[in-house]
Amino acid sequence: MSKVLLAEDDPTMISLLKTLLKIEGFEVVAILDQPGDLLDNMRAEKPDAVLLDVNLGDLNGVDIVRRMRQVPELQSVRVIMSSGMHKADECLAAGANDFLLKPYMPDELIRRLR
């Protein structure tokens, strides 16, 4: 079973994504449910993939993925970023593996995770 870490600030989105991904057989951790530094939490959880929102309240997902790519144990983690704005080029240039424009269909997310 693959572990997916959700870095999302919308509680409704977290709930929906957790339900969807668990039904599809993924182990799911929502990182913003946990206190502390995002990168420290990612290192501790050792996910296979991260679904990372571009806008995380006070945090910027683009900056986070750039920092992830500088941490040896996080460099190989697959990162799918998402936003309601067309930010694919910026996210991919920062080190994301993929980008989903919100709103996206659940089957599109599952296909990209697999």
Side-chain angles (χ1 to χ4, degrees), residues 18-91:
K18 274 184 173 180
T19 301
L20 169 70
L21 295 173
K22 285 179 181 180
I23 288 170
E24 292 293 329
F26 292 94
E27 181 181 350
V28 183
V29 175
I31 201 165
L32 294 181
D33 287 348
Q34 305 171 20
D37 181 74
L38 283 170
L39 295 181
D40 287 343
N41 286 332
M42 288 179 190
R43 280 192 290 263
E45 290 295 338
K46 297 178 177 43
D48 299 296
V50 174
L51 183 58
L52 178 62
D53 193 2
V54 170
N55 297 307
L56 294 168
D58 294 339
L59 302 174
N60 180 320
V62 174
D63 292 337
I64 292 167
V65 77
R66 280 190 187 115
R67 288 175 47 211
M68 280 180 71
R69 295 310 185 208
Q70 295 174 356
V71 177
E73 61 265 47
L74 298 177
Q75 288 176 348
S76 64
V77 175
R78 184 165 163 70
V79 177
I80 300 173
M81 295 188 71
S82 64
S83 177
M85 297 177 285
H86 293 278
K87 298 231 176 201
D89 292 341
E90 181 181 0
C91 292

